[in-house]
Amino acid sequence: MNLTLIFLGTGGSLPSSRALPSLALKRGGELLLFDCGEGTQAQMLKAGLSPLKVGSIFISHLHGDHFLGLAGLVQTMSLLGREEPLTIYVPSGEGERVETLLRLPRYTPTFELEVRELAGGEEVRREGYRILTSSTVHGVEGLAFSLEEFPRPGRLDPKRAVELGLSPGPVFSQLKAGKPVHLPGGREIRPEEVVGPPLPGRKVVYAVDTRPCEEVVALARGADVLVHDAMFEEEQGEKAKERGHSTSAEAAWVAREAGVKLLVLTHISPRYRESSRLLEQARRIFPNTVVAEDLMVLEVPLAGG
């Protein structure tokens, strides 16, 4: 099953050469949206993503650049005749504000819409994965999100299975599903005799508009991809601290402490027309770092094939 990140908006605060924050995540036929700044609809159009395919929306916090695109996107869903329910997840205590925003346009909703509040440490369980949350440090109530797939069945050794008297077919699937099978003579073949240990699922973490903090380090532990706030360069460290953001070097520190595989810098300040200095400073601490660009597509491979 594919797991694909589409970076719709990688800037912050103000529209610039970069669009405002939004990350689309495709997992199989499911589409999730993390943040929804102004212009997200236009970026989705450029990326070939349909608003009707969005299953859930997760909002990190209620600074305008992260959620003011919601009302337009929801209205478009109704104009297109959406029927499937939609849940928008927001930080604890912020549900009423989002509901007010969604009521402002004059239109008739064609689908059920739920705004659900989440606190740091809560989770949303879905088929095959869960979304975990942690608190962030930004001066307002905020969340970081981690999509974590559940472990997959281990590899079945067909040669060993045949040696034990099994024939290829449905029994192989039964063993991979963790269920024993029986030979005609009554002998039981247990899954552990022919199936290897479970294979880990993938883990992607989205942490924007935050100071480097232990909560995010813990959430990101062992992640395949960490998408992290990197609004400023090192020389603007005091400003980053005052405004509740991270420098690219601080994002790299989080990645190193959490032992992630890849760091993606995002939420780049409009002051930076090009990002080479941010990247250079991050790579001194965590070499496997890239800077997100608008409409960049990143495939997250399965561990172990």
Side-chain angles (χ1 to χ4, degrees):
M1 181 180 290
N2 72 294
L3 184 62
T4 308
L5 307 182
I6 303 102
F7 293 83
L8 300 175
T10 60
S13 300
L14 304 171
S16 63
S17 58
R18 294 174 179 269
L20 291 176
S22 186
L23 172 68
L25 189 152
K26 291 176 66 177
R27 182 179 181 272
E30 190 173 9
L31 178 62
L32 307 177
L33 204 59
F34 293 86
D35 281 337
C36 187
E38 295 172 72
T40 293
Q41 288 191 81
Q43 293 297 94
M44 290 180 69
L45 186 64
K46 292 176 185 177
L49 301 176
S50 169
L52 295 181
K53 298 294 185 182
V54 177
S56 300
I57 302 175
F58 298 83
I59 300 299
S60 63
H61 66 295
L62 261 61
H63 280 151
D65 55 332
H66 289 259
F67 83 105
L68 286 179
L70 274 176
L73 179 60
V74 169
Q75 178 171 315
T76 294
M77 290 175 175
S78 284
L79 291 173
L80 293 175
R82 182 187 178 109
E83 297 180 354
E84 294 77 15
L86 175 70
T87 303
I88 301 174
Y89 296 90
V90 302
S92 180
E94 303 287 32
E96 184 178 351
R97 288 175 179 266
V98 172
E99 289 171 349
T100 298
L101 172 72
L102 297 175
R103 287 195 298 265
L104 288 177
R106 293 186 178 273
Y107 68 100
T108 302
T110 61
F111 60 95
E112 182 181 343
L113 179 63
E114 178 187 7
V115 176
R116 179 180 163 189
E117 297 183 1
L118 290 174
E122 288 194 76
E123 69 173 63
V124 178
R125 295 183 73 88
R126 297 285 175 80
E127 184 176 353
Y129 69 93
R130 62 180 180 170
I131 304 286
L132 294 176
T133 65
S134 78
S135 299
T136 55
V137 179
H138 187 53
V140 299
E141 194 72 23
L143 295 171
F145 302 99
S146 174
L147 183 146
E148 301 183 10
E149 293 181 327
F150 300 133
R152 296 172 288 130
R155 292 192 186 89
L156 183 140
D157 184 343
K159 183 178 178 181
R160 176 60 178 158
V162 171
E163 289 174 352
L164 291 174
L166 298 172
S167 299
V171 293
F172 280 20
S173 298
Q174 188 172 332
L175 287 163
K176 286 204 68 170
K179 301 175 182 178
V181 299
H182 296 85
L183 296 173
R187 181 188 170 192
E188 181 180 82
I189 306 297
R190 297 184 306 278
E192 58 267 27
E193 295 182 71
V194 295
V195 179
L199 298 171
R202 293 161 291 191
K203 178 175 177 177
V204 175
V205 176
Y206 178 76
V208 293
D209 284 47
T210 184
R211 293 289 299 147
C213 59
E214 291 298 335
E215 293 90 340
V216 172
V217 170
L219 184 72
R221 188 83 60 196
D224 293 275
V225 180
L226 169 61
V227 180
H228 197 284
D229 182 298
M231 193 163 191
F232 296 106
E233 60 186 330
E234 283 184 278
E235 290 74 10
Q236 298 292 325
E238 282 303 312
K239 184 167 290 187
K241 191 173 182 179
E242 291 169 8
R243 298 187 180 182
H245 286 283
S246 297
T247 66
S248 62
E250 288 171 329
W253 175 85
V254 173
R256 185 182 65 188
E257 291 298 302
V260 309
K261 295 178 183 177
L262 174 66
L263 170 64
V264 182
L265 305 178
T266 193
H267 204 282
I268 309 302
S269 169
R271 72 177 60 212
Y272 301 111
R273 296 198 174 188
E274 61 89 32
S275 56
S276 60
R277 186 165 177 78
L278 296 171
L279 183 60
E280 176 188 352
Q281 292 178 349
R283 283 182 171 172
R284 291 175 192 164
I285 298 169
F286 191 79
N288 199 21
T289 301
V290 298
V291 177
E293 302 294 342
D294 286 2
L295 304 180
M296 183 177 89
V297 176
L298 178 64
E299 299 284 349
V300 185
L302 281 166

